[in-house]
C-alpha cells in the first residue's frame, strides 16, 4: 500500500534527511540524556536512579550507533503491538544502516526506540523526556498567547452578541465576514506550526515571539504557496446550511505548547460559529518528534490556561540557568507578572474550552496508529476501524510537517503533482475529507504551480543549483491543501 514514488532517504546528501540524521538527531538524543540526568539529580529514589542510569546508557548507545552508521537494531519487545510492525519493516528493508534508510521510517524508529528505554522500566514508564522543553517553550510564547486570547474573546463576544454592526450587514457582507474569520483562525492555526521543537532547537525568546504575532501572520500570507482554505470552508458551510445534526471536525494534532493552544482556539471557534458540533483531537501515544502532543500535554495546557498567573509568572528553571535551552533562558529575563486584564483574557479561553469539554463537544481520541513507522497511505488497509471513524467526520485537519510527510508518503514527488494524487488511498474516493495545514520543514512538497519550486530555489538561501530544496526546510513557507474524499 505504499507509494511507488521513492521516498526520501538519509543516504541522499542533498536532502534534509541527511542533515537531520547527521546534525539534528544527535542533538535531540543528547538533550534527552541531559533531561534524564537532571531528573536523576533531583531524585533520592535509589531504584529509580539505577534504572535512570540504564536508560542513559541505552540513549548513549543509540547515539553511538547513529553516529557510526551502524545497522538499526530490532526494537525490544515492550509489550506494545507496534514493536512487531517496526521490526518486520526493518527486516523488509534488509536491516539498513542509519545513513542508508528511508527518512520517514528511520525518524519514527528513532522515537520508538527511545520510548522503549523508558517503557521497559518500572519507574520511568510514563516519563516524557521532552516535557520540560515543551513547558518552557509554551511559557516563552506568553505575548502571543495573550494577543490571541484577546482576539478570540472579542470574536466570541461578537459572534454571541450579534452586534449592531452585524445586523447592519447585507447577507453577502455577513457571509464574507464569516469566511474571513474562518481564514484568519486557520492561518493562526497554520503558523502555530512554525515553532516545533525538533527543528527550532536554538530559537531565542524574541525569535519565537516574532513568529507568532498578528503582524508576522499578515507578512507571511504571501508565503502560503498553495491555499485551499476556501474548499475546506465550503465543505463545513455546506454541512451547516444543510442542517446536518452532527458536524464533526477532526484535528490530527502535531505540537504541544503554542501550536496546541492555537489548535484549541480553532476548535473552539468552529464550535462557537456552528461550523462544527463536535471536534475530535488525535494526540500521539509516545513521546514523539520532541514536541508532539501527548494526552498529558492536553492536561498541562488546560492547567496552564486555568491558572495563567501561576504558569506564566514561573521564574527561571535550572534548565534555563545552565543555558541549554535558549528559549527558556531568555524567558526568565522577561517574566514580569501578568496583569489582571491579561490573565482574565487567558482564563476566558480556558472557560470556553472547559465548557466544550464538559458538554462533550471536544474529545481527545488517542490511537497507536499515529506513532507507527509507515505513511498514511497504509491507513485504510492497516487500520480499517480508524478509517471508518474518520469517514464520519466532515473534515480531518492534519497539522504540521510530519503529518504532511506521512500523508504524501514522504516521497520524491514532482512538486506540481496534485495533492489529491500524492495522498493516494486517502484521496478522492476514500470517504475522508482531508485538509493539511503545514509549514514546510522537509523536502517533500506537492500541489505547486509549475515553475514555483524553481523560483523559490533561485531565491537567496533557496538552494540554488545545489540540488537541495533548501527553501522548504525552515518553516518559512507553508501549504494548505485540501482533498475531498466523499
Ligand atoms: O524536517 C524537520 C522535522 O523535524 C522533521 O523531522 C519532522 O517532519 C518535522 O520537522 C517535525 O515538524 P512538525 O512538528 O511540524 O511535524
Ligand atoms: Mg511535531
Amino acid at each position: 500500500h505504499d507509494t511507488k514514488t521513492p521516498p526520501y532517504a538519509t543516504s541522499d546528501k542533498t536532502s534534509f534527511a541527511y542533515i537531520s540524521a547527521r546534525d539534528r538527531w544527535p542533538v535531540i538524543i543528547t538533550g534527552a540524556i541531559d533531561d534524564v540526568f537532571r531528573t536523576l539529580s533531583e531524585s533520592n529514589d535509589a531504584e529509580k536512579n539505577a534504572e535512570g542510569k540504564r536508560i542513559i546508557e541505552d540513549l548513549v548507545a543509540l547515539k553511538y550507533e547513529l553516529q557510526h552508521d551502524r545497522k538499526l537494531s530490532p526494537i525490544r519487545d515492550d509489550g506494545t503491538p507496534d514493536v512487531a510492525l517496526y521490526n518486520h519493516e526493518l527486516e523488509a528493508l534488509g536491516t539498513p544502516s542509519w545513513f542508508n534508510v528511508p527518512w520517514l521510517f528511520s525518524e519514527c524508529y528513532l522515537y520508538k526506540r527511545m520510548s522503549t528505554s523508558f517503557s521497559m522500566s518500572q519507574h520511568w514508564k510514563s516519563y516524557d523526556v521532552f516535557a520540560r522543553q515543551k513547558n518552557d517553550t509554551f511559557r516563552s510564547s506568553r505575548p502571543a498567547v495573550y494577543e490571541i486570547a484577546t482576539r478570540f474573546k472579542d470574536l466570541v463576544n461578537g459572534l454571541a452578541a450579534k452586534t449592531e454592526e452585524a445586523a447592519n450587514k447585507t447577507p453577502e457582507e455577513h457571509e464574507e465576514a464569516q469566511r474571513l474569520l474562518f481564514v484568519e483562525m486557520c492561518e493562526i492555526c497554520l503558523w502555530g506550526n512554525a515553532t516545533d521543537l525538533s527543528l527550532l532547537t536554538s530559537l531565542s525568546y524574541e525569535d519565537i515571539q516574532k513568529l507568532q504575532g498578528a503582524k508576522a501572520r499578515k507578512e507571511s500570507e504571501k508565503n502560503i504557496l498553495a491555499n485551499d482554505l476556501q474548499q475546506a470552508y465550503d465543505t463545513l458551510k455546506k454541512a451547516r446550511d444543510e442542517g446536518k445534526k452532527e458536524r464533526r471536525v477532526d484535528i490530527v494534532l502535531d505540537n504541544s505548547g503554542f501550536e496546541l493552544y492555537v489548535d484549541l482556539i480553532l476548535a473552539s471557534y468552529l464550535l462557537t460559529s456552528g461550523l462544527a458540533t463536535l471536534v475530535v483531537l488525535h494526540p500521539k501515544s509516545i513521546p514523539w518528534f520532541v514536541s508532539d502532543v501527548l494526552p498529558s500535554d492536553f492536561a498541562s495546557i488546560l492547567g496552564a490556561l486555568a491558572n495563567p498567573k501561576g504558569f506564566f509568572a514561573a521564574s527561571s528553571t535550572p534548565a534555563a540557568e545552565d543555558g541549554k535551552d535558549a528559549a527558556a533562558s531568555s524567558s526568565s529575563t522577561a517574566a514580569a507578572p501578568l496583569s489582571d486584564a491579561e490573565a482574565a483574557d487567558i482564563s476566558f479561553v480556558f472557560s470556553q474550552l472547559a465548557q466544550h469539554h464538559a458538554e462533550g463537544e471536544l474529545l481527545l481520541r488517542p490511537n497507536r496508529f499515529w506513532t507507527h513507522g509507515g505513511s498514511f497511505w497504509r491507513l485504510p488497509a492497516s487500520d480499517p476501524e480508524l478509517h471508518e471513524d474518520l469517514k464520519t467526520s466532515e473534515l480531518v485537519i492534519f497539522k504540521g510537517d510530519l503529518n504532511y510527510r506521512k500523508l504524501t508518503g514522504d516521497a520524491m514527488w514532482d512538486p506540481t503533482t496534485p495533492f489529491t494524487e500524492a495522498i493516494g488511498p486517502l484521496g478522492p474516493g476514500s470517504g475522508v475529507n482531508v485538509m493539511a495545514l503545514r509549514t514546510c520543514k522537509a523536502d517533500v512538497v506537492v500541489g505547486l504551480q509549475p515553475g514555483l519550486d524553481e523560483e523559490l530555489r533561485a531565491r537567496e538561501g533557496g538552494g540554488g543549483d545545489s540540488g537541495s530544496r533548501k527553501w522548504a526546510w525552515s518553516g518559512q513557507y507553508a501549504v494548505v491543501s485540501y482533498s475531498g474524499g466523499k
Side-chain angles (χ1 to χ4, degrees), residues 16 24 107 193 196 198-199 254-255 400-402 405 441:
F16 199 49
R24 294 175 45 243
E107 199 165 18
N193 178 244
D196 86 281
S198 79
L199 186 65
D254 185 4
N255 301 311
D401 186 73
L402 176 66
R405 286 172 61 200
K441 304 173 200 163

Side-chain angles (χ1 to χ4, degrees), residues 291-333:
S291 37
D292 281 27
V293 178
L294 297 175
S296 52
D297 295 317
F298 183 70
S300 334
I301 202 167
L302 290 181
L305 298 177
N307 174 20
K309 281 202 173 182
F311 180 80
F312 288 104
S315 56
S316 70
T317 59
E321 278 152 12
D322 67 18
K324 269 181 223 108
D325 182 332
S329 66
S330 30
S331 78
S332 63
T333 57

Side-chain angles (χ1 to χ4, degrees), residues 376-398:
F376 298 158
W377 275 57
R378 296 180 186 173
L379 195 157
S382 79
D383 200 330
E385 223 177 284
L386 176 60
H387 186 204
E388 285 308 311
D389 185 39
L390 296 179
K391 281 186 193 172
T392 66
S393 182
E394 301 303 324
L395 182 68
V396 184
I397 302 175
F398 289 85

Side-chain angles (χ1 to χ4, degrees), residues 129-149:
V129 71
F130 305 121
R132 258 194 203 102
Q133 286 185 59
K134 293 190 245 190
N135 268 321
D136 288 345
T137 313
F138 187 50
R139 222 170 253 126
S140 317
S141 308
R142 189 179 114 175
V145 168
Y146 168 62
E147 181 191 318
I148 288 170

